[in-house]
Amino acid sequence: MSEDPGRSPLKDVVEAALEGLGVVATVEIDDGEEGGLVARIEGDDLDAIIGRDGEVLDAVQLLAAQAVRRQPGGERRGVLVDAGGYRARRAELLA
């Protein structure tokens, strides 16, 4: 089985955003629901990558989805970028 061509651009975009913001963290790429991809960011101080109300995280996610889609044979698929479990905490808060 060959490696998913969307994993590399997803990781590259997230790592570039982290570097640009001066955030030291690790990025793991996992399979998501319905053929999507999930980038999980883990580190100590993730406030800069999350941003106010998750705005920076949303922007990085949008850019990452575009990068995945632009790969040869790229298709529209779900891309989720999460930092330190922010998305789950936010969903719980809003529920």
Side-chain angles (χ1 to χ4, degrees), residues 8-62:
S8 181
L10 174 54
K11 189 168 185 172
D12 291 346
V13 167
V14 174
E15 287 178 342
L18 290 168
E19 183 178 336
L21 292 167
V23 176
V24 177
T26 59
V27 180
E28 296 278 330
I29 308 298
D30 298 314
D31 293 324
E33 295 180 14
E34 299 179 15
L37 293 171
V38 179
R40 299 186 197 285
I41 304 168
E42 294 297 333
D44 289 332
D45 186 15
L46 300 176
D47 291 343
I49 193 69
I50 294 171
R52 182 175 177 218
D53 295 327
E55 290 176 348
V56 175
L57 203 56
D58 289 342
V60 171
Q61 181 172 295
L62 178 65

Side-chain angles (χ1 to χ4, degrees), residues 53-92:
D53 295 327
E55 290 176 348
V56 175
L57 203 56
D58 289 342
V60 171
Q61 181 172 295
L62 178 65
L63 292 171
Q66 290 293 323
V68 169
R69 193 170 303 127
R70 293 182 185 272
Q71 292 308 296
E75 56 191 52
R76 190 173 197 90
R77 63 197 295 193
V79 172
L80 177 73
V81 178
D82 191 17
Y86 171 80
R87 301 255 187 225
R89 288 192 314 272
R90 185 74 176 163
E92 187 177 301

